[in-house]
Amino acid sequence: MAPCASLLLPVFAILATLPVIQSVPTFFPRPSYDQSLAKQPKASKPKIPYKTHYFPQVLDHFTFQPKSSKIFYQKYLVNSHYWHRGAPIFVYTGNEGDIEWFAANTGFLLDIAPKFRALLVFIEHRFYGESMPFGNKSYKSAETLGYLNSQQALADFALLIRSLKHNLSSEASPVVVFGGSYGGMLAAWFRLKYPHIAIGALASSAPILQFDDITPWSSFYDAVSQDFKEASLNCYEVIKGSWAELEALSAQNEGLAELSRTFRACQDLHSLDSVWEWLWSAFVYTAMVNYPTEANFMMPLPAYPVQAMCKIIDGFPSGASKITRVFAAASLYYNYSRAEKCFKLEHGPDAHGLHGWNWQACTEMVMPMTCSEESMFPTSSFSYKEFAEDCMKTFGVKPRPHWITTEFGGKRIDLVLKRSGGNIIFSNGMQDPWSRGGVLKNISSSIIALVTEKGAHHVDFRSATKDDPEWLKELRRQEVEIIQGWIDQYYPDLKRTNKE
Amino acid sequence: MAPCASLLLPVFAILATLPVIQSVPTFFPRPSYDQSLAKQPKASKPKIPYKTHYFPQVLDHFTFQPKSSKIFYQKYLVNSHYWHRGAPIFVYTGNEGDIEWFAANTGFLLDIAPKFRALLVFIEHRFYGESMPFGNKSYKSAETLGYLNSQQALADFALLIRSLKHNLSSEASPVVVFGGSYGGMLAAWFRLKYPHIAIGALASSAPILQFDDITPWSSFYDAVSQDFKEASLNCYEVIKGSWAELEALSAQNEGLAELSRTFRACQDLHSLDSVWEWLWSAFVYTAMVNYPTEANFMMPLPAYPVQAMCKIIDGFPSGASKITRVFAAASLYYNYSRAEKCFKLEHGPDAHGLHGWNWQACTEMVMPMTCSEESMFPTSSFSYKEFAEDCMKTFGVKPRPHWITTEFGGKRIDLVLKRSGGNIIFSNGMQDPWSRGGVLKNISSSIIALVTEKGAHHVDFRSATKDDPEWLKELRRQEVEIIQGWIDQYYPDLKRTNKE
């Protein structure tokens, strides 16, 4: 059986460009997988109560060359409805995508803003959304993409926040940073590297330990599998067995034609890879968003979608093939609204394009992943050599696999942060496969891990709903209490400093 | 009377290139002022018990471009005489000059190495000494100099230390960083930004608060003046009055010729400026090295050289001119060994050249300074506009005057570091004018300020001598005790982590 790595990358057998790079799942699915979003007209952006601004940002904070002092316009969103001068500023440190999307999916901040009378600011990450340093040439080559990385992004946040506070004549306002997923990594790192700008950070589902050899490489896919296994052992076994069945069928005469029909492909399939990738995406991303309520985060899905998928798989009559079952389960992910007549399992060479996250994964964000025997995916190993070769071929750069842990740490993190740092919440839900690379234990009295058994990918950041379970309400209550504690500490500290 | 700024910059009336940039004193005098050193053959490097190594270092840590992954060779020195695997590693974070010179003048580390069984490592700062990323073209233009800055330097240290520990198979060794002056700023910032690499920092005479408006701009020259005033009020008044006397004389017919004779100039003087600069250097740098014992740090000097200078000034018969007195006082600085027959007061256009510190001062290290009415120098203000224009003219770059405080903080530092950071000693001697920009009060139980009334520029880092006063011995004893405390805390922490 082909390794997991190639499972993840069916398109690239055709493209022959990006094979191993994409063995790392993105935090969010590519638009190409996301049929419903793809259909939405570009104009129908989520309606959110924020005003859009643009900040003249420095292209390169860390060299001082005439050309690197180039400016670009960085987008940020502001809601000042509840704020007054001197009150807290809550900043969302944007991740790899349009900032509106993160604002729309971080209702938590709007929910808590009145209590804190907080200004809300969502800052878009450079090279995503509209914040393109070189306009539509930003992704042209390594020459331009070179400026896309987390350290430059953190410095962007620092400069923008400082300028914003100055312009608001509110330099003494305490700033708390928030982020989910990669944005959560940025929030945590921002508090560690810029404690003079943010008094604390809430990092939700931030896998800052997914680097080097800190977290076992198989943990991500083991966790996905664990979710399905917990929902139903049979479900797990059906999925685990489906890959061989698929391979056997595709090897037969007319096998691909039959698969095209079974998977209701809009166009005839050319290889098994696209089916694998299509299924893989459905299972991985459904595990990530295994939320306790109906939600439309990446796709519209019912409450606890993993359980719903397994119910479908288990619900077939005993004679049904594994292929039929996994197709039906994946359809829940792609077609919960039942609007799809057929599925676009194969996408053209442009669909993947030079997505920003691929670049980041090929330079600093090297997160090796494998599929173990325990997982429900075909086993696979990680070859750094192949990975590096692909990155070189695609982008002309060599990854720096140890750079993130050199720049931000991570090894023996409890030993380190016990004696430095402070005021960080790491929240993780164990349903989320990314949780395994997160901080899951308290480090000090002010570096706190909040872990929920039933939580998924930054579930705490979603708007409160009437259906929220108690554990979720309690999680958010704890977060608010801790943040309140930082702020209650800050103002007397400030007063004392001003007196001296 | 001409302002202090132009006092500092006599040469530039001729060069018309770098006027305002150099109103900031360097931490150490330029070679051109340093007649004794200039005479030494290049080969006679200080004899120090270190082995020289070269590390293949990344040129640009913060962009990922094919050309920025260029490698250069960074020099570092190692003494492993007392060390065994697992024992502490003491790293000196090199500043703006040859690393041998800092090693030779930081005998403190050799003195304490046996007690800690420490490995000693001195890392040269990029763009200084032999660590030239572009060989002899390193200072050619902003294109090359762009990579010379403190953030790149800190990342260099991080990469080198991590690689060194790996190669020594001693990853668990605790690292403590040490630095004096700009090197002390780097040590403190390194502990703040890379707590996962260094468990603590001893930052001696590190003016990390000399930026923006944190420290009053006049404090540096006020402190120099204070040293002289404390030694003798008359001495202070003679120096304060000498500038007007010099100006009056130089305005007379044959005034410059008379000054050339009085100042024993090797070549006839073309302007008063060189005399001013010559005197200014003598007073400023003597205040910095107002050590309690005879020393040969920048120049051979007697114990408490400020007092010695004032004794000379006060010792003249009452009719003697101020000019004669200040010349005699400055001669102590330039000619304590009495080997000089004449003084090179004017130096050619190349002497200043594109020194690395000028570049750093024109980009990130913007430390505005003025001379107040209280100082013994002619009053002067700081014009950021002029400064920026000069930097643009000289290097083609615009300074980023608020960047250091954005990147490293400094404003309300006690408020910030009380809730983050830890394990830093800031040591300052109040004789040192740079002390005014240092951290002079304890911030937390592990961020400690050690202040001595009689100390000068990183006096604690000099080798112990039999003549050291009690307060200096006590200062070093406290430093050793605190560092011992960090290490005593580290090993049990590590043991606990390994068990988990």
Side-chain angles (χ1 to χ4, degrees):
Chain A
M1 169 142 304
C4 187
S6 68
L7 163 71
L8 311 185
L9 306 156
V11 216
F12 304 113
I14 305 164
L15 289 183
T17 49
L18 276 171
V20 193
I21 297 168
Q22 302 207 339
S23 66
V24 179
T26 50
F27 291 112
F28 306 107
R30 309 294 154 72
S32 50
Y33 306 136
D34 189 340
Q35 307 217 357
S36 1
L37 272 184
K39 272 195 201 158
Q40 284 177 8
K42 193 77 180 154
S44 81
K45 291 225 162 150
K47 281 205 174 57
I48 43 170
Y50 292 93
K51 236 189 112 186
T52 304
H53 298 262
Y54 297 88
F55 178 75
Q57 186 58 270
V58 173
L59 174 64
D60 188 350
H61 301 281
F62 305 107
T63 66
F64 294 86
Q65 294 176 326
K67 85 166 171 231
S68 64
S69 48
K70 182 182 135 70
I71 293 294
F72 71 96
Y73 284 88
Q74 183 170 27
K75 184 172 178 176
Y76 65 104
L77 311 175
V78 175
N79 176 315
S80 57
H81 188 70
Y82 306 103
W83 191 71
H84 63 95
R85 239 186 80 196
I89 300 175
F90 288 175
V91 174
Y92 186 93
T93 51
N95 12 341
E96 70 288 16
D98 292 354
I99 193 63
E100 277 94 356
W101 194 73
F102 295 105
N105 283 288
T106 313
F108 177 63
L109 288 190
L110 274 174
D111 289 345
I112 66 172
K115 180 184 163 62
F116 290 100
R117 307 187 62 175
L119 186 78
L120 301 184
V121 183
F122 280 75
I123 309 178
E124 193 163 72
H125 192 295
R126 53 166 60 201
F127 285 86
Y128 294 101
E130 288 181 55
S131 302
M132 291 294 173
F134 301 91
N136 55 17
K137 289 183 182 141
S138 298
Y139 279 40
K140 209 181 140 201
S141 70
E143 285 293 312
T144 50
L145 280 166
Y147 301 98
L148 164 54
N149 60 62
S150 57
Q151 297 103 92
Q152 299 279 5
L154 294 174
D156 289 345
F157 299 146
L159 217 64
L160 194 158
I161 294 170
R162 191 170 170 188
S163 161
L164 182 72
K165 288 176 80 170
H166 179 79
N167 291 341
L168 294 168
S169 305
S170 197
E171 263 103 345
S173 275
V175 171
V176 178
V177 284
F178 296 75
S181 197
Y182 170 51
M185 294 157 65
L186 293 173
W189 290 336
F190 191 78
R191 169 62 186 156
L192 292 174
K193 294 278 190 188
Y194 297 88
H196 47 287
I197 297 185
I199 66 158
L202 169 49
S204 181
S205 301
I208 59 167
L209 307 181
Q210 195 74 51
F211 298 93
D212 258 354
D213 55 358
I214 306 174
T215 300
W217 292 0
S218 66
S219 66
F220 183 91
Y221 289 108
D222 285 350
V224 175
S225 311
Q226 179 78 12
D227 284 358
F228 284 85
K229 204 184 220 168
E230 272 173 12
S232 140
L233 185 60
N234 176 62
C235 174
Y236 160 85
E237 281 169 351
V238 165
I239 298 169
K240 195 175 168 75
S242 67
W243 315 105
E245 215 174 81
L246 280 163
E247 199 166 41
L249 177 56
S250 74
Q252 288 175 17
N253 244 349
E254 294 298 309
L256 280 175
E258 192 179 330
L259 277 177
S260 301
R261 282 191 299 278
T262 309
F263 281 82
R264 288 169 45 197
C266 298
Q267 288 177 316
D268 279 351
L269 293 170
H270 294 85
S271 94
L272 178 59
D273 292 343
S274 26
V275 177
W276 278 15
E277 190 185 15
W278 190 81
L279 290 172
W280 169 88
S281 293
F283 298 137
V284 168
Y285 293 118
T286 301
M288 275 169 61
V289 298
N290 195 21
Y291 295 138
T293 56
E294 203 174 46
N296 185 357
F297 179 44
M298 303 192 301
M299 303 288 255
L301 281 173
Y304 292 118
V306 168
Q307 282 72 351
M309 275 190 173
C310 283
K311 220 170 152 186
I312 293 170
I313 285 177
D314 293 348
F316 273 83
S318 59
S321 73
K322 293 189 174 75
I323 293 178
T324 324
R325 294 176 196 236
V326 293
F327 167 73
S331 298
L332 180 82
Y333 178 75
Y334 292 110
N335 197 18
Y336 181 54
S337 59
R338 298 179 183 267
E340 304 294 339
K341 297 281 166 269
C342 65
F343 295 106
K344 295 200 194 90
L345 276 78
E346 285 180 353
H347 23 73
D350 285 329
H352 281 265
L354 295 182
H355 187 276
W357 189 256
N358 287 351
W359 166 264
Q360 291 195 257
C362 262
T363 48
E364 48 172 12
M365 296 292 160
V366 181
M367 304 188 202
M369 287 194 180
T370 59
C371 288
S372 75
E373 295 281 351
E374 302 307 306
S375 89
M376 64 189 200
F377 302 100
T379 57
S380 79
S381 56
F382 174 82
S383 155
Y384 175 70
K385 196 171 157 281
E386 270 182 61
F387 176 77
E389 280 168 7
D390 288 329
C391 289
M392 184 48 84
K393 223 185 313 181
T394 312
F395 294 111
V397 286
K398 240 177 93 176
R400 298 188 194 163
H402 309 297
W403 172 240
I404 287 290
T405 52
T406 302
E407 179 65 12
F408 298 115
K411 297 196 173 189
R412 295 196 175 101
I413 192 171
D414 44 346
L415 174 65
V416 171
L417 295 189
K418 199 175 155 182
R419 307 287 175 197
S420 65
N423 292 7
I424 305 177
I425 303 170
F426 291 101
S427 76
N428 277 289
M430 295 309 285
Q431 293 296 303
D432 177 13
W434 288 112
S435 65
R436 303 308 193 273
V439 174
L440 300 174
K441 278 196 290 189
N442 290 351
I443 290 177
S444 69
S445 63
S446 78
I447 302 186
I448 304 292
L450 298 178
V451 178
T452 53
E453 211 50 55
K454 293 194 166 176
H457 207 47
H458 46 72
V459 62
D460 42 351
F461 276 14
R462 304 196 59 75
S463 297
T465 74
K466 61 173 177 33
D467 301 324
D468 290 339
E470 273 313 308
W471 60 262
L472 180 52
K473 288 183 197 163
E474 172 59 18
L475 170 62
R476 292 193 184 120
R477 199 198 54 71
Q478 282 182 291
E479 289 172 349
V480 165
E481 188 181 293
I482 294 169
I483 294 167
Q484 186 68 61
W486 299 338
I487 289 167
D488 288 348
Q489 208 172 46
Y490 172 80
Y491 285 110
D493 276 0
L494 178 69
K495 218 167 168 179
R496 219 171 296 127
T497 310
N498 287 342
K499 263 189 200 148
E500 273 166 14
Chain B
M1 168 142 306
C4 186
S6 68
L7 163 71
L8 312 184
L9 306 156
V11 216
F12 303 113
I14 305 164
L15 289 184
T17 49
L18 275 171
V20 193
I21 299 168
Q22 303 207 336
S23 65
V24 179
T26 50
F27 291 113
F28 305 107
R30 309 296 154 71
S32 50
Y33 307 136
D34 190 339
Q35 308 216 357
S36 3
L37 273 184
K39 273 195 202 159
Q40 285 177 7
K42 192 80 179 153
S44 81
K45 290 224 163 150
K47 282 206 173 57
I48 43 169
Y50 292 92
K51 237 189 111 184
T52 304
H53 299 263
Y54 297 88
F55 178 73
Q57 186 60 269
V58 174
L59 175 64
D60 188 350
H61 301 281
F62 306 107
T63 66
F64 294 84
Q65 294 175 326
K67 84 166 172 235
S68 63
S69 47
K70 182 183 133 73
I71 294 293
F72 71 96
Y73 284 87
Q74 183 170 27
K75 184 173 179 175
Y76 65 104
L77 311 175
V78 175
N79 176 315
S80 58
H81 188 70
Y82 306 102
W83 190 71
H84 64 96
R85 240 186 80 199
I89 300 175
F90 289 175
V91 174
Y92 186 94
T93 50
N95 12 343
E96 72 288 15
D98 293 352
I99 194 62
E100 277 94 356
W101 194 73
F102 296 105
N105 282 288
T106 314
F108 176 62
L109 288 190
L110 273 174
D111 289 345
I112 67 173
K115 179 184 164 60
F116 291 99
R117 305 188 63 174
L119 187 77
L120 302 184
V121 183
F122 280 76
I123 309 178
E124 194 163 73
H125 193 295
R126 55 166 59 200
F127 285 86
Y128 295 101
E130 289 181 54
S131 302
M132 291 295 173
F134 301 91
N136 56 16
K137 289 182 181 143
S138 297
Y139 279 40
K140 209 181 138 202
S141 70
E143 285 294 310
T144 51
L145 279 167
Y147 302 98
L148 164 54
N149 60 63
S150 57
Q151 298 102 91
Q152 299 278 5
L154 294 175
D156 289 343
F157 299 146
L159 216 64
L160 194 157
I161 294 170
R162 192 171 169 187
S163 161
L164 182 72
K165 288 175 80 170
H166 179 79
N167 291 340
L168 294 169
S169 304
S170 197
E171 264 104 346
S173 276
V175 171
V176 178
V177 284
F178 296 76
S181 196
Y182 169 51
M185 294 157 63
L186 293 173
W189 289 336
F190 191 78
R191 168 64 187 155
L192 292 174
K193 294 276 189 189
Y194 297 87
H196 47 286
I197 298 186
I199 66 158
L202 169 48
S204 181
S205 301
I208 59 167
L209 307 180
Q210 195 75 51
F211 298 94
D212 258 354
D213 54 358
I214 306 173
T215 299
W217 292 0
S218 65
S219 66
F220 183 91
Y221 289 108
D222 285 352
V224 174
S225 310
Q226 180 79 11
D227 284 358
F228 284 85
K229 205 184 219 168
E230 270 173 14
S232 140
L233 185 60
N234 177 61
C235 173
Y236 160 84
E237 281 170 350
V238 165
I239 298 169
K240 195 175 168 74
S242 68
W243 314 104
E245 215 175 80
L246 280 163
E247 198 166 41
L249 176 57
S250 74
Q252 288 174 20
N253 243 348
E254 295 297 311
L256 280 175
E258 192 180 328
L259 277 177
S260 300
R261 279 191 301 279
T262 310
F263 281 83
R264 288 170 42 199
C266 298
Q267 288 178 314
D268 279 351
L269 293 170
H270 294 87
S271 93
L272 177 59
D273 291 342
S274 26
V275 177
W276 278 15
E277 191 185 15
W278 190 81
L279 289 172
W280 169 88
S281 293
F283 297 139
V284 168
Y285 293 119
T286 301
M288 275 168 63
V289 297
N290 196 22
Y291 294 139
T293 56
E294 203 173 45
N296 185 357
F297 180 44
M298 303 192 302
M299 304 287 256
L301 281 172
Y304 292 119
V306 169
Q307 282 73 351
M309 274 189 173
C310 283
K311 218 170 153 189
I312 293 170
I313 286 178
D314 293 347
F316 274 83
S318 60
S321 73
K322 293 189 174 75
I323 294 179
T324 323
R325 292 175 197 238
V326 292
F327 167 73
S331 298
L332 180 83
Y333 178 74
Y334 293 109
N335 197 19
Y336 182 53
S337 59
R338 298 180 184 267
E340 304 294 338
K341 297 281 166 268
C342 65
F343 296 107
K344 295 200 194 91
L345 276 80
E346 285 180 352
H347 23 74
D350 284 330
H352 282 264
L354 295 183
H355 187 275
W357 189 255
N358 287 350
W359 167 263
Q360 291 195 258
C362 261
T363 49
E364 50 172 11
M365 295 292 160
V366 181
M367 305 187 202
M369 288 195 180
T370 59
C371 289
S372 75
E373 295 281 350
E374 303 307 305
S375 88
M376 66 188 198
F377 301 100
T379 58
S380 79
S381 56
F382 174 81
S383 155
Y384 175 70
K385 195 170 158 283
E386 269 181 61
F387 176 77
E389 280 167 7
D390 287 329
C391 288
M392 187 46 85
K393 223 187 311 182
T394 313
F395 294 111
V397 287
K398 241 178 92 177
R400 298 188 193 162
H402 309 297
W403 172 241
I404 286 290
T405 52
T406 302
E407 178 65 12
F408 298 114
K411 296 195 173 188
R412 294 194 176 102
I413 193 171
D414 43 346
L415 174 64
V416 171
L417 295 190
K418 198 176 154 181
R419 307 287 175 199
S420 67
N423 292 7
I424 306 178
I425 304 169
F426 291 101
S427 76
N428 277 289
M430 295 309 285
Q431 293 296 303
D432 176 14
W434 288 112
S435 65
R436 304 307 194 273
V439 174
L440 300 175
K441 278 195 291 190
N442 290 351
I443 290 176
S444 70
S445 63
S446 77
I447 302 187
I448 305 292
L450 298 178
V451 179
T452 53
E453 210 50 55
K454 292 192 165 178
H457 207 47
H458 47 72
V459 63
D460 42 350
F461 277 13
R462 305 195 59 72
S463 298
T465 73
K466 61 175 176 34
D467 302 325
D468 289 341
E470 271 315 307
W471 60 261
L472 180 52
K473 288 183 198 165
E474 172 59 18
L475 170 62
R476 292 192 185 120
R477 198 197 55 70
Q478 283 182 292
E479 290 172 349
V480 166
E481 187 180 292
I482 294 169
I483 294 166
Q484 185 69 60
W486 299 338
I487 289 168
D488 289 348
Q489 209 171 46
Y490 172 80
Y491 284 111
D493 277 0
L494 177 69
K495 219 167 166 180
R496 219 171 296 128
T497 310
N498 286 344
K499 262 188 203 149
E500 274 166 12

